[in-house]
Amino acid sequence: MLVQSKLLRLRRIHRLLPSTFSSVRRCRSYSSPPLRNDAGLTVTQVVELLQNPLNHWDYDKLRPFLFEASHHLLHITIRLNSIPKALDFINFLGDRTEHHQALSRVFEGALELATQHPNSQKELLMLHSYRKSIGGRIALTSRSGFLLLKCLGKAQMVEDSLILFKELDSSSKSSEICNELLKGLFRSGGIDGALHVLDEMLERDSDFPPNNFTGEVVFRVLGEQERRGRSFADEEIMGLVTKLCEHGVFPDTFKLTQMITKLCRHRKNGVAWEVLHVVMRLGGAVAVEAASCNALLAGLGRERDIQRMNKLMAEMEEMGIKPSVVTFGILVNHLCKARRIDEALQVFDKLRGKGEGNNRVGVEPDVVLFNTLIDGLCKVGREEHGLSLLEEMKTKKQSRPNTITYNCLIDGFCKAGNIGKARELYSQMIEEGVQPSVVTLNTMVNGLCKHGKVHNAVEFFNEMKGKGLKGNAVTYTALISAFCGVNNIDKAMQYFDDMLSSGCSPDAIVYYSLISGLSTAGRMDDASVVVSRLKQAGFGLDLTCYNVLISGFCKKKKLERVYEMLNEMEVTGVKPDIVTYNTLVSYLGKIGDFETASNVMKRMIKEGLEPSVVTYGAVIHAYCLKKNVDEAMKIFEQMCSNSKVPPNTVIYSILIDALCKNSNVEKAVSLMDDMKIKGVRPNTTTYNAIFKGVRDKKMLQKAFELMDRMIEDACSPDYVTMEILTEWFDAVGEIEKLKCFVEGYPVSSSSALSPTSNCF
DNA sequence: TAAAATCCCT
């Protein structure tokens, strides 16, 4: 009976323990009032007693402390001020009593001493190992559990943490302890364990509900960019946020924004939306500020989700969440990217107070907003309007034009072909003291290259190098593509080497442009070298790159290399598209391998790819090469009746050429008429084919008629046309008509006007 | 400490 009542009393004391944290801290000054046990000894006297060697310790004098006031043992242990002595004390008592509370208190004291130690982490771990070595016979107090979990968490000892947590009885568990465990588990990537602990904390009427520190830990982890171990499932994120908010624990603006940003970056707009709305619903405008909404708006904008952007903006207004200048920046950017530039300008005018309701929002447009608009205007060819905004910026202190402002405008004028204005803007920015960046350099170089001024581009680049501005992968891509474009492959290769030796790190695109240039030039060996260099640099080929290479190898009739590419595509998981199949079908048709060509087409259809006009063209071309024009015409008829893929200019040209070569000029002429009816515009190649046919059949009148039609179609003759017609017209004495034709006058004798009079 | 703007390949 007596023992039982004592135990009960002890348990009551025990329950008070979490609140003794602060008193423990106060004890560290070792100035607690003298406490006396039943044997008349004060705490100070006991501490003195324990300073004696171990064999002088008197258990009987100590005993009352063990039962009457075990919490005094904590003070005594701390005042020993020595961890080895504390351990002696534990061993001494452990040999003499079964009383767990006493041991627990002394152990707690030892842990407190360890936290004071300069190398506290090591000492705490040592005490943990000690406790483990005696089989965990020492029960843990709440404070002990807290200290040990904190240290195990730091040491990332997940297993030990979990075991320790399980050992704690539920009355010793507290929110603080759970938080420490969570922190440790998250630190070592043990999400599953952490979620389990959180489940307990988040239960209804939990003894250790989540507090703000729990929120700190959990929300920080949810917002982290990358983490080891597995990441959270969408439902887990939603569940945690919802339940924590239901317990009144909300993320701060920073963490909420970070969480939403992360979700949006991982293309999880749906979850991001839900998260924000849970916090909005449970916490209201106090818990959600514009920054978090901005993060979601930006994510929605990236996915072009206009509807939800509008909905969120409306909700912000309804809840009284004040939009910031960034909010409007995102909105304007989105409208510009959707090419809805006039709506963007309307929003902008509202901010400037130019529209109706003078600036109700109280947000001044900043540099970014101006830049966004200027870029938007330039991208739709309204660079002059952009220029007027530049002037407006110059008059405002808070939004002076910066490098990006000029970059946008320079690019706009370059793309519009106004290189002169682009150069002028460049000089202007230098005059205004706005520093050009590598983007400025790239924009100018690319603009000059795209307008046939490769030499000027090189000059500009060298000039900038002299000013200490280095080029990057983008600069070299522009130059390499330009030199490939004018078939100066050696120069392109030289720039590629320059790039590598100048220490510029190439991106995948610069490799792609060189591979494409080399392949189109038929230099497949060089292309292969670049491919292996690309792989060495850790990049992979993409679909278009494979297509370009396959096409190059086909032209060189290197079938084994084509198959090599196709195999590689399969291994690396790059799925062939219609372009790949068309290239193959076209090649197989040209070498006359109809069987393989038809197998490839079957596979293409099996893969769910519909034959395109190019596929039909390849097949028709193949039949024509085999002099099987009848079969080619049959396919053509099929295309005409199946309106899904109507024949285009190329298909007509192929057939007209083949019919003419097959001496069926009448049919070819009727196809020309068919084109006119169907509204398919012939090009120079088409006319060259039919001219050859009518020349071989000496159908002079038909030739005149076609010449007039060629002029009507605004299609100009090239050197092939002239070759076909000159000798023939010379022989039949009609060379004057050819002159008229070249000048763009009608020549058909059925014309009412006298053509010759017009010619001279 | 998080949220909006510029340049390159097919």
Side-chain angles (χ1 to χ4, degrees):
Chain A
M1 271 308 267
L2 190 72
V3 177
Q4 263 187 345
S5 77
K6 277 179 182 170
L7 273 172
L8 276 173
R9 205 155 13 142
L10 277 167
R11 194 157 289 158
R12 272 204 303 279
I13 294 163
H14 190 88
R15 289 212 171 179
L16 291 172
L17 279 174
S19 62
T20 57
F21 287 162
S22 50
S23 66
V24 167
R25 284 188 203 287
R26 253 180 273 122
C27 282
R28 279 183 200 130
S29 60
Y30 309 121
S31 60
S32 48
L35 298 160
R36 204 173 287 276
N37 74 3
D38 290 355
L41 284 177
T42 64
V43 166
T44 310
Q45 284 167 323
V46 175
V47 172
E48 275 162 16
L49 178 77
L50 292 174
Q51 296 305 323
N52 295 319
L54 201 58
N55 51 358
H56 288 84
W57 290 4
D58 186 342
Y59 180 67
D60 288 334
K61 284 187 180 169
L62 290 168
R63 191 170 18 210
F65 272 110
L66 311 186
F67 295 96
E68 289 300 320
S70 78
H71 55 289
H72 289 171
L73 286 173
L74 173 63
H75 300 257
I76 292 165
T77 312
I78 288 169
R79 288 180 62 185
L80 287 175
N81 205 19
S82 149
I83 298 170
K85 245 190 168 39
L87 283 175
D88 283 345
F89 194 25
I90 293 171
N91 288 329
F92 177 82
L93 294 176
D95 290 344
R96 285 163 183 80
T97 177
E98 288 296 306
H99 192 49
H100 294 299
Q101 308 295 353
L103 287 177
S104 296
R105 278 343 195 73
V106 179
F107 188 68
E108 184 184 323
L111 288 171
E112 289 292 354
L113 286 172
T115 61
Q116 303 288 305
H117 196 276
N119 198 348
S120 61
Q121 176 71 5
K122 192 181 150 219
E123 293 299 317
L124 285 163
L125 281 176
M126 182 276 286
L127 287 173
H128 169 68
S129 309
Y130 164 79
R131 181 173 168 274
K132 254 173 89 175
S133 72
I134 56 165
R137 270 177 55 217
I138 308 170
L140 292 172
T141 63
S142 187
R143 172 72 179 164
S144 298
F146 175 81
L147 291 174
L148 280 179
L149 280 171
K150 192 170 175 161
C151 115
L152 291 174
K154 259 190 217 163
Q156 309 208 2
M157 291 163 72
V158 179
E159 284 296 310
D160 286 31
S161 299
L162 287 170
I163 292 169
L164 204 128
F165 186 70
K166 266 189 204 144
E167 279 175 19
L168 291 169
D169 64 43
S170 62
S171 64
S172 309
K173 288 180 186 170
S174 67
S175 298
E176 286 73 19
I177 283 183
C178 293
N179 290 343
E180 277 314 316
L181 178 62
L182 283 177
K183 229 166 83 176
L185 291 173
F186 280 134
R187 184 179 296 160
S188 39
I191 286 193
D192 291 306
L195 287 174
H196 196 76
V197 177
L198 278 162
D199 274 346
E200 281 189 55
M201 297 177 81
L202 293 164
E203 264 171 32
R204 252 176 225 292
D205 307 317
S206 155
D207 287 330
F208 27 94
N211 56 24
N212 283 336
F213 189 76
T214 321
E216 287 267 312
V217 173
V218 177
F219 293 130
R220 188 177 59 229
V221 171
L222 288 177
E224 271 167 9
Q225 285 313 308
E226 290 305 326
R227 47 175 302 96
R228 51 208 211 90
R230 76 169 178 91
S231 45
F232 293 92
D234 299 348
E235 313 81 62
E236 288 167 346
I237 298 174
M238 278 310 303
L240 284 177
V241 175
T242 311
K243 283 189 193 152
L244 281 167
C245 288
E246 279 167 357
H247 278 82
V249 176
F250 296 100
D252 60 37
T253 296
F254 175 75
K255 291 204 190 65
L256 180 58
T257 307
Q258 214 176 29
M259 260 165 64
I260 289 170
T261 309
K262 182 190 166 193
L263 287 167
C264 290
R265 293 240 164 94
H266 286 93
R267 320 209 130 248
K268 287 180 176 177
N269 280 353
V271 190
W273 176 274
E274 292 301 323
V275 165
L276 185 72
H277 280 77
V278 164
V279 184
M280 274 178 154
R281 181 164 49 85
L282 297 166
V286 189
V288 179
E289 287 177 61
S292 309
C293 300
N294 292 345
L296 182 55
L297 282 169
L300 294 170
R302 246 173 265 136
E303 305 242 300
R304 307 261 179 272
D305 194 341
I306 309 164
Q307 258 195 327
R308 287 213 273 189
M309 280 181 91
N310 286 330
K311 191 158 180 244
L312 181 56
M313 295 278 286
E315 284 166 350
M316 284 172 75
E317 195 174 341
E318 203 177 296
M319 290 184 66
I321 300 168
K322 213 171 155 285
S324 66
V325 68
V326 177
T327 316
F328 291 103
I330 296 164
L331 182 66
V332 164
N333 182 40
H334 171 261
L335 288 169
C336 287
K337 292 287 163 347
R339 310 213 143 208
R340 290 160 62 174
I341 190 79
D342 288 312
E343 287 163 74
L345 286 167
Q346 275 170 25
V347 175
F348 184 60
D349 281 338
K350 230 184 229 169
L351 296 189
R352 287 190 302 185
K354 282 195 180 171
E356 319 123 46
N358 279 351
N359 202 354
R360 281 169 300 158
V361 271
V363 170
E364 279 293 313
D366 63 356
V367 191
V368 176
L369 201 48
F370 270 102
N371 290 348
T372 311
L373 268 172
I374 289 175
D375 186 55
L377 286 163
C378 287
K379 290 269 168 4
V380 295
R382 288 165 66 177
E383 50 282 338
E384 292 297 337
H385 193 161
L387 215 51
S388 72
L389 288 182
L390 171 73
E391 294 309 319
E392 189 180 329
M393 287 175 86
K394 287 182 188 167
T395 66
K396 295 199 174 183
K397 269 215 181 89
Q398 75 277 13
S399 53
R400 284 281 154 84
N402 62 13
T403 308
I404 297 178
T405 320
Y406 280 101
N407 290 347
C408 295
L409 283 163
I410 290 172
D411 189 55
F413 280 101
C414 279
K415 296 263 155 73
N418 192 345
I419 303 291
K421 186 70 193 173
R423 277 185 177 282
E424 193 189 311
L425 280 162
Y426 174 76
S427 316
Q428 207 184 101
M429 78 187 281
I430 303 295
E431 266 172 44
E432 305 246 334
V434 178
Q435 283 300 315
S437 68
V438 68
V439 178
T440 323
L441 165 67
N442 296 339
T443 308
M444 283 300 298
V445 166
N446 188 51
L448 291 164
C449 284
K450 288 284 148 64
H451 289 89
K453 297 169 189 283
V454 190
H455 181 70
N456 291 310
V458 170
E459 231 173 51
F460 187 82
F461 185 23
N462 290 336
E463 212 180 291
M464 298 301 269
K465 272 194 218 159
K467 286 188 182 176
L469 200 60
K470 271 171 112 187
N472 63 13
V474 180
T475 331
Y476 288 100
T477 303
L479 288 168
I480 288 168
S481 314
F483 280 116
C484 285
V486 294
N487 207 25
N488 192 344
I489 303 296
D490 292 335
K491 204 79 185 161
M493 287 291 261
Q494 188 199 311
Y495 269 103
F496 186 75
D497 291 333
D498 279 4
M499 172 185 69
L500 297 178
S501 58
S502 75
C504 157
S505 54
D507 60 8
I509 295 176
V510 71
Y511 283 103
Y512 294 168
S513 57
L514 190 56
I515 290 167
S516 149
L518 291 167
S519 298
T520 357
R523 290 174 58 163
M524 298 316 292
D525 290 337
D526 291 323
S528 305
V529 172
V530 180
V531 168
S532 49
R533 286 220 237 166
L534 165 140
K535 286 179 184 166
Q536 273 168 26
F539 298 109
L541 294 171
D542 69 354
L543 179 60
T544 27
C545 225
Y546 276 117
N547 285 344
V548 155
L549 284 162
I550 288 171
S551 161
F553 284 127
C554 281
K555 270 183 214 141
K556 291 276 158 188
K557 303 215 186 321
K558 301 245 179 177
L559 196 56
E560 69 288 356
R561 299 302 306 274
V562 173
Y563 283 128
E564 197 184 295
M565 290 289 120
L566 290 170
N567 270 329
E568 207 182 290
M569 286 173 81
E570 204 168 324
V571 172
T572 51
V574 178
K575 271 204 162 220
D577 68 348
I578 192 73
V579 178
T580 324
Y581 282 106
N582 288 343
T583 311
L584 293 173
V585 171
S586 161
Y587 168 72
L588 293 165
K590 269 179 204 153
I591 61 166
D593 186 350
F594 277 41
E595 204 187 322
T596 315
S598 114
N599 283 337
V600 169
M601 281 179 64
K602 273 182 201 151
R603 178 153 170 202
M604 175 183 100
I605 290 161
K606 208 179 141 199
E607 292 286 325
L609 294 165
E610 302 249 337
S612 72
V613 69
V614 183
T615 325
Y616 281 105
V619 175
I620 287 173
H621 192 60
Y623 278 113
C624 290
L625 286 172
K626 277 232 164 166
K627 305 247 182 272
N628 192 348
V629 186
D630 288 345
E631 198 57 40
M633 283 305 290
K634 266 191 203 160
I635 297 167
F636 171 76
E637 307 291 352
Q638 268 175 37
M639 288 180 82
C640 293
S641 54
N642 168 19
S643 62
K644 216 172 178 183
V645 187
N648 65 2
T649 309
V650 177
I651 301 229
Y652 276 104
S653 300
I654 294 167
L655 284 167
I656 288 165
D657 184 60
L659 287 164
C660 288
K661 280 180 182 149
N662 214 22
S663 299
N664 195 349
V665 182
E666 288 74 20
K667 185 68 193 166
V669 169
S670 83
L671 279 186
M672 287 296 293
D673 297 336
D674 194 42
M675 287 179 89
K676 196 167 184 171
I677 298 164
K678 301 254 175 72
V680 182
R681 235 177 75 178
N683 59 24
T684 307
T685 315
T686 327
Y687 278 105
N688 289 346
I690 192 78
F691 281 139
K692 258 190 254 171
V694 295
R695 178 198 58 191
D696 294 346
K697 286 271 171 170
K698 301 192 170 47
M699 297 161 72
L700 194 58
Q701 198 53 45
K702 199 73 205 170
F704 294 155
E705 207 181 292
L706 286 164
M707 283 154 86
D708 286 354
R709 262 163 67 178
M710 191 169 178
I711 289 161
E712 268 174 47
D713 287 334
C715 179
S716 34
D718 62 2
Y719 75 97
V720 181
T721 327
M722 298 315 285
E723 257 178 33
I724 298 163
L725 298 179
T726 310
E727 203 184 318
W728 179 30
F729 279 31
D730 205 25
V732 296
E734 291 283 10
I735 201 72
E736 301 304 339
K737 290 227 163 127
L738 190 58
K739 279 186 188 164
C740 283
F741 167 65
V742 173
E743 310 257 321
Y745 295 105
V747 294
S748 171
S749 55
S750 62
S751 172
L753 291 165
S754 165
T756 37
S757 63
N758 284 336
C759 280
F760 303 99

